[in-house]
Amino acid sequence: MDNRPIGVFDSGVGGLTVVKQIVKLLPNESLVYFGDTARVPYGSKSKEIVTKFSSQIIRFLMTKNVKAVVIACNTVSSNCYEILSEEFPQLPIIEVVTPGVESCLAATRNKIVGLIGTYGTVSSGAYEKRLKAADPNIQVYKKACPLFVPLAEEGWVNNDVARLTAATYLKELTDKNVDSIILGCTHYPILKACIGEIVGEGVTIVDPAKATAQRLKEYLENHNMLTDNTEEAERLFYVSDKSHFEQICSRVLHEDYHAEKIDIEKY
Ligand code: DGL
């Protein structure tokens, strides 16, 4: 048993969609979340810069004595996971792409799938490579949807602007007859209702968050690292700049939390 908290991070509010699933599955685990609100978006930045930001964040989370880190960001997971695992060999690191691939394989029937994510995720080829390795017959159509990130950060999740943006981005994929679409960016589940409206009921929306939480649980179980805490778990939130973080946080988690601003450049 291990009562230390779990660290979770993202470029901003997106990772909260993963926190939501972790809290559901592992309610007794304490969490430390970091949202890099000063430097969001990551999706249009280079691998080198995103790796540097992620290393700083993991070093910060380590000062909070975390027992494991969840990269609740597809851009970081698909571009920097190997480098970060080498840099922090002592720390269990869970990423979101593998659970996303597994959920998609379980969901598709016609083996024509869509992937939406940031430019960084889509151009990394990480999802496509793993999907095709598991099933060479699968067809993957990809579309970067960078504007979903500021919409989610702004809380514009189901208004005319969000709907028009989603319709414009997603037409290419629905025209290809995809039967499932992977939300390959943790910000996108915040716009799930809007995305679902546009793609229609026949398309399964695959959110890797649930399977990521499951993977984390299995890891902790297998390594005897689950908490034995039965008191209310502690959940701490940190950001790198002032933003709408707290508002979106209460919308996603249905609970109010204070987010403390820290200087991430120090780490
Ligand atoms: N939420 C992130 C992801 O899953 C990053 C979005 C961004 O900062 O561009 O890719």
Side-chain angles (χ1 to χ4, degrees), residues 193-228:
C194 173
I195 293 170
E197 212 176 283
I198 300 296
V199 298
E201 275 178 12
V203 178
T204 308
I205 296 182
V206 178
D207 176 2
K210 214 172 175 176
T212 303
Q214 185 59 39
R215 216 179 167 83
L216 171 68
K217 182 172 181 231
E218 280 160 20
Y219 184 92
L220 296 178
E221 266 167 6
N222 294 341
H223 293 81
N224 200 20
M225 283 169 76
L226 284 168
T227 183
D228 66 354

Side-chain angles (χ1 to χ4, degrees), residues 69-84:
V69 164
V70 178
I71 306 176
C73 174
N74 288 266
T75 309
V76 176
S77 296
S78 55
N79 287 288
C80 326
Y81 172 72
E82 283 78 15
I83 308 173
L84 294 171

Side-chain angles (χ1 to χ4, degrees), residues 8 14-15 58 61 65 91 116 125-127 146 152 158 180 186 198 216 265:
V8 184
I58 294 178
L61 291 172
N65 196 26
L91 192 67
I116 56 174
Y127 271 99
N158 210 358
S180 29
T186 54
I198 300 296
L216 171 68
E265 301 283 356

Side-chain angles (χ1 to χ4, degrees), residues 10-11 14-15 40-44 72-76 118 121 149 184-187:
D10 177 48
S11 61
V40 64
Y42 281 9
S44 50
C73 174
N74 288 266
T75 309
V76 176
T118 65
T121 298
V149 173
C185 171
T186 54
H187 279 72

Side-chain angles (χ1 to χ4, degrees), residues 127-149:
Y127 271 99
E128 216 173 350
K129 260 180 247 156
R130 287 181 224 184
L131 283 164
K132 285 203 188 280
D135 184 345
N137 294 323
I138 210 155
Q139 292 178 51
V140 187
Y141 292 99
K142 315 187 279 186
K143 180 76 185 167
C145 306
L147 292 176
F148 283 165
V149 173

